[in-house]
């Protein structure tokens, strides 16, 4: 899997935080209690964890001590993550130390640690012993993988009987306001582009959350999904411009014969963004899976 731009991951994080389903986070927290005793730290593994955005989102919401393992294929993101976490923690008024690829945060009377590990999840998923952890998390990741990989993942998760919280999987919804004539053309090009190989085989793209839900239900695993849409308002001009630029670029790659229409669409979108007369909803789904737990450790 190719790496992601750290600047882009930072730009999207406020929208991710606003969109995440609090209801599923609370259910996930409840499920974690069934896999551990009350006096032991919560052990979490973050698949494709990038800049540790899941840590920043969830660690303050989960009570008590926590041990996190951040897994990713991108060595640059992994190298930066402990320092990024330490800087974030200090901004919150907490104590933090980063060293040797790890970070330790002291906050709210609790100790949160983060370690990192480089891994190719496409090839090496089954080498991970999921029973070493109390819960599995991932964010903005499932739409990158293939149907066969999702089936492997579902079997791996259910065999370990560990809860999963998978957040912010795109579902294909992209609604600009006000609408424009060629919105449908641009959206179709974007959906087609999302189906390429991201290192896991042909990507499922926008249908990934529902595809995983079906895999898990076939294994008799309870699953819940809730919406976690981005709402990008007219005052978020930098993000709107980025979304319009990205959509236009992708459309030109997928539909080179329609370049003139795509350029006209981009000029119209740019004019409306400049006037403060544009907004965008990008659809996502959060998913919680809770296999039957084993006895608490």
């Amino acid at each position: 899997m190719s790496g992601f731009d750290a600047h882009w991951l930072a730009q999207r994080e406020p929208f991710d935080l606003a969109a995440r389903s609090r209801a599923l986070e609370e259910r996930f927290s409840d499920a974690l209690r069934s896999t551990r005793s009350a006096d032991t730290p919560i052990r979490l593994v973050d698949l494709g964890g990038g800049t540790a955005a899941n840590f920043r989102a969830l660690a303050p919401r989960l009570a008590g001590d926590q041990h996190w393992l951040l897994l990713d294929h991108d060595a640059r993101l992994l190298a930066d993550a402990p320092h990024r976490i330490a800087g974030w923690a200090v901004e919150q008024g907490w104590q933090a130390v980063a060293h040797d690829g790890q970070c330790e945060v002291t906050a709210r009377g609790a100790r949160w640690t983060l370690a990192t590990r480089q891994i190719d999840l496409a090839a090496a998923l089954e080498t991970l012993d999921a029973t070493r952890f109390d819960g599995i998390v991932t964010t903005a990741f499932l739409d990158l993988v293939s149907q066969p990989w999702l089936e492997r993942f579902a079997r791996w998760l259910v065999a370990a009987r560990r809860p999963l919280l998978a957040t912010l999987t795109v579902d294909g919804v992209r609604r600009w306001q006000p609408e424009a004539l060629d919105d449908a053309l641009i959206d179709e090009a974007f959906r087609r582009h999302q189906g390429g190989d991201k290192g896991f085989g042909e990507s499922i793209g926008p249908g990934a959350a529902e595809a995983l839900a079906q895999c898990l239900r076939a294994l008799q695993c309870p699953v819940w999904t809730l919406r976690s849409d981005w709402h990008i308002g007219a005052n978020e001009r930098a993000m709107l411009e980025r979304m319009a630029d990205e959509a236009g670029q992708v459309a030109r790659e997928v539909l080179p014969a329609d370049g003139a229409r795509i350029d006209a669409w981009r000029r119209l979108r740019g004019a409306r963004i400049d006037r403060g007369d544009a907004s965008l909803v990008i659809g996502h789904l959060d998913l919680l899976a809770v296999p039957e737990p084993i006895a608490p450790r």
Side-chain angles (χ1 to χ4, degrees), residues 50-122:
T51 62
N54 255 329
F55 183 101
R56 289 186 291 277
L58 287 175
R61 297 181 181 277
L62 300 175
D65 295 345
Q66 302 166 39
H67 295 331
W68 285 70
L69 177 62
L70 182 68
L71 303 179
D72 206 286
H73 194 253
D74 192 320
R76 295 170 300 171
L77 292 179
L78 290 175
D80 186 54
H83 302 284
R84 188 181 294 270
I85 287 294
W88 162 80
V90 170
E91 289 176 357
Q92 312 307 310
W94 302 326
Q95 295 181 332
V97 177
H99 59 86
D100 298 329
Q102 301 185 52
C103 182
E104 179 176 323
V105 177
T106 304
R108 301 177 177 178
R111 178 173 171 264
W112 308 333
T113 64
L114 173 77
T116 61
R117 175 180 165 190
Q118 186 178 18
I119 187 173
D120 179 2
L121 288 168

Side-chain angles (χ1 to χ4, degrees), residues 15-31:
F15 299 92
D16 288 345
L17 286 171
R20 295 171 69 111
S21 168
R22 298 292 180 254
L24 292 189
E25 287 181 355
E26 291 173 5
R27 290 187 188 180
F28 180 66
S29 179
D30 292 341

Side-chain angles (χ1 to χ4, degrees), residues 127-281:
T127 67
L128 292 170
D129 180 3
T131 64
R132 292 177 49 220
F133 309 100
D134 301 307
I136 319 297
V137 298
T138 190
T139 194
F141 173 68
L142 296 180
D143 48 279
L144 305 177
V145 308
S146 64
Q147 179 70 31
W149 191 91
L150 274 187
E151 293 168 2
R152 290 168 51 201
F153 179 58
R155 292 192 296 270
W156 174 81
L157 182 74
V158 172
R161 292 186 283 181
R162 290 295 188 264
L164 164 73
L165 180 63
T167 54
L168 298 156
T169 303
V170 295
D171 72 348
V173 172
R174 295 174 72 88
R175 292 195 303 270
W176 285 95
Q177 292 294 334
E179 297 178 356
L181 177 62
D182 277 326
D183 285 348
L185 176 77
I186 303 300
D187 290 350
E188 176 59 24
F190 206 90
R191 281 192 291 270
R192 286 169 57 183
H193 183 268
Q194 286 182 308
D197 188 342
K198 308 300 191 299
F200 293 82
E202 193 70 14
S203 300
I204 297 178
E210 288 298 341
L212 178 57
Q214 291 177 15
C215 291
L216 291 166
R217 290 178 183 128
L219 297 170
Q220 308 303 310
C221 175
V223 181
W224 297 265
T225 59
L226 289 176
R227 302 212 60 81
S228 52
D229 298 340
W230 283 359
H231 294 269
I232 309 175
N235 60 326
E236 302 287 354
R237 290 181 56 181
M239 191 63 163
L240 291 171
E241 290 281 3
R242 175 142 194 166
M243 293 295 94
D245 281 343
E246 180 182 70
Q249 179 181 351
V250 165
R252 291 184 200 99
E253 293 175 8
V254 175
L255 303 170
D258 292 312
R261 290 174 65 186
I262 294 164
D263 289 345
W265 177 89
R266 180 62 186 93
R267 288 193 296 273
L268 174 61
R269 282 284 162 229
R272 287 176 172 172
I273 292 168
D274 288 343
R275 292 199 305 265
D277 180 29
S279 64
L280 175 63
V281 173

